[in-house]
Amino acid sequence: MLHDLQRDFAGVALTNSVAALLPHVSAARGSTERRLSVYHANTLNSLTDVLSAAYPVVQRIVGDRFFYGLAKAFIAAHPPRQPALFRYGDALPEFLTQFEPAKTLPYLADMARLEWARLDAYFAADCDPIDPQQLANVPPEQISNLKFTMHPAYRLLESNFPIFTIWAVNQPDLDPVPEVDFDQSEDGYVSRLTHTVIQRALPSDTLSWLRALKDGETLGTATALAMACDEAFDLQNTLRQHLADGTFSNFHV
Amino acid sequence: MAAFASGTPDAAWVEIHSENFFVPGGPRLAQLEDVRSHYAISCHGVGLSLGSAQGVDVDHLSTLRDLVDRIEPGLVSEHLSFSVVDDIYVNDLLPLPYTEEALQAVVRNVDQTQEAIGREILIENPSSYLAFVDSVLTEWDFLAELSQRSGCGLLLDVNNIYVSAENNGFDVSTYLEGVPGDAVGEIHLAGHSIDGSGEERLLIDTHGDVVAGPVWTLYQQALEKLGPRPTLIEWDTDIPELEVLLAEAHTAQRHLDAVSMPEDSSRVA
């Protein structure tokens, strides 16, 4: 009985469906429906705030009114499943690919994926990156057999749109705003260096190299794949850059 | 939170929403460790859903236990409400009917929680906008029974008493008289907003304004009955400058000092 009542109340809070609950509640004065609407407004507003905090660039691109409508549709279709909200909104990128009113902005779902990757990286487990000195101690003949473990915050992203550039031009107070070539595609990664989320667009050779290492290939195999993409692939500089970015948390032979 | 991480503000303790720190890692947890190094912490949960007929989520409970082990808070509290049903989480503190069935569910869930984290928790009275036709107990009798059967303490939110009394037409003094004073381990104060007028006048618990005059009066009444209790000013929407918040805390401290013996150490946060 209590369970049924609670299911009815959740329906009020999430979608303002009051009919089932009305016979069970009363107001000391005035309209009972209006009092129930307070619970719906609280729930909708607080979940919308969670989505706003997770997707600031999506909101900036579509504007507040559109975003609130999107949030309302998303919340009705995907109510939270976990009683902690730092993971709420992970289904929004996929939802956006099917969201009819957003069809005129084909890059929006990828922008949401980038923003979710940033949030995910922000909350990822703490882990010290590889100390470059340790790597320097590996005997030269074993270098090409090295395998790396990626930092828990590390995420690769591939897009048919220039999402890293679009993200950058949508940061507040940017002056002057550079031109965006929407015909460009951009791949890249998001990670966290101690407490700061970082992101970089990557050329295709480096992307192949990182994807291979992430999939557990050896440094030798990854480098061969990168050079197949672009024979000018510069292993030394690329490795140095990624050690500085804390991309790897461990290595073994 | 950054100000508290540096230890600058004059406060005896700091209260956090437990679930905000259920994250695997990153700067938010690191900042909490910094705050912990300067202040005592109170862990105030909003997601355990102690009123759920389906019981509490064991994973949630074990994450809470990890946080409690890590932070070693002075107090751990939750709400008399539910927010989980059929594994959907409604991000609001939804009210319970005050029936024997609901009482048994809450007692069971509180027992399980106290056992899992190995300590007593405080349960906070909700703000409510309506009543259930099936209720057979008053809220204060429900809380008294809950405390007696489970051994939990109470977190008395004075603003919530005022908001619920205005909305549901009961007398705040009767409420205060009915609460088992010895069980109260903490007091909350907060601001509310008034929406509509006449028949449709409704007080809404917003945590987004200064504490209202009648709530200060009720706080004074509560302290006279209970004696001094650790008191927290809640403000989590439209958060003002830190000075405004600290001024509210100082007002509460003056009320506390007026009822405290010199050896009492109840403080405001």
Side-chain angles (χ1 to χ4, degrees), chain A residues 1-3 5-7 9-10 13-14 21 23-26 28-31 34-36 38-39 42-43 46-47 79-87 122-126 192 195, chain B residues 19 22-28 30 47 51-53 60 82 85-92 94-97 101-102 128-133 166-168 195 198-202:
Chain A
M1 251 181 57
L2 181 61
H3 187 263
L5 190 73
Q6 294 185 333
R7 183 186 296 141
F9 216 124
L14 285 167
L21 188 66
H24 300 283
V25 291
S26 67
R29 56 175 189 278
S31 152
R34 175 170 169 267
R35 289 174 175 234
L36 285 173
V38 174
Y39 293 99
N42 281 349
T43 305
S46 64
L47 290 177
R81 297 273 164 185
Q82 280 185 326
L85 291 174
F86 68 96
R87 290 216 192 280
Y122 183 80
F123 289 130
D126 299 304
R192 194 181 77 223
H195 290 165
Chain B
E19 286 77 7
F22 279 18
V23 299
R28 191 184 280 181
S52 273
H60 196 89
F82 82 96
V85 60
D86 295 339
D87 299 321
I88 286 176
Y89 170 60
V90 177
N91 185 34
D92 195 16
L94 302 179
L96 298 173
E101 184 193 9
S128 68
Y129 307 109
L130 42 75
F132 288 89
V133 296
E166 288 287 304
N167 290 341
N168 297 315
D195 195 53
E199 283 287 288
E200 294 298 344
R201 181 174 182 273
L202 200 59

Side-chain angles (χ1 to χ4, degrees), chain B residues 183-245:
Chain B
V184 177
E186 182 184 342
I187 292 178
H188 273 179
L189 292 169
H192 60 255
S193 68
I194 300 174
D195 195 53
S197 59
E199 283 287 288
E200 294 298 344
R201 181 174 182 273
L202 200 59
L203 268 56
I204 302 191
D205 180 33
T206 53
H207 295 184
D209 207 341
V210 292
V211 178
V215 175
W216 283 120
T217 308
L218 187 58
Y219 178 51
Q220 183 65 39
Q221 255 180 280
L223 292 180
E224 282 162 12
K225 173 188 151 99
L226 307 170
R229 289 291 188 278
T231 301
L232 178 92
I233 310 283
E234 289 184 298
W235 201 321
D236 38 44
T237 55
D238 298 328
I239 297 171
E241 295 293 313
L242 185 59
E243 292 75 48
V244 178
L245 200 52

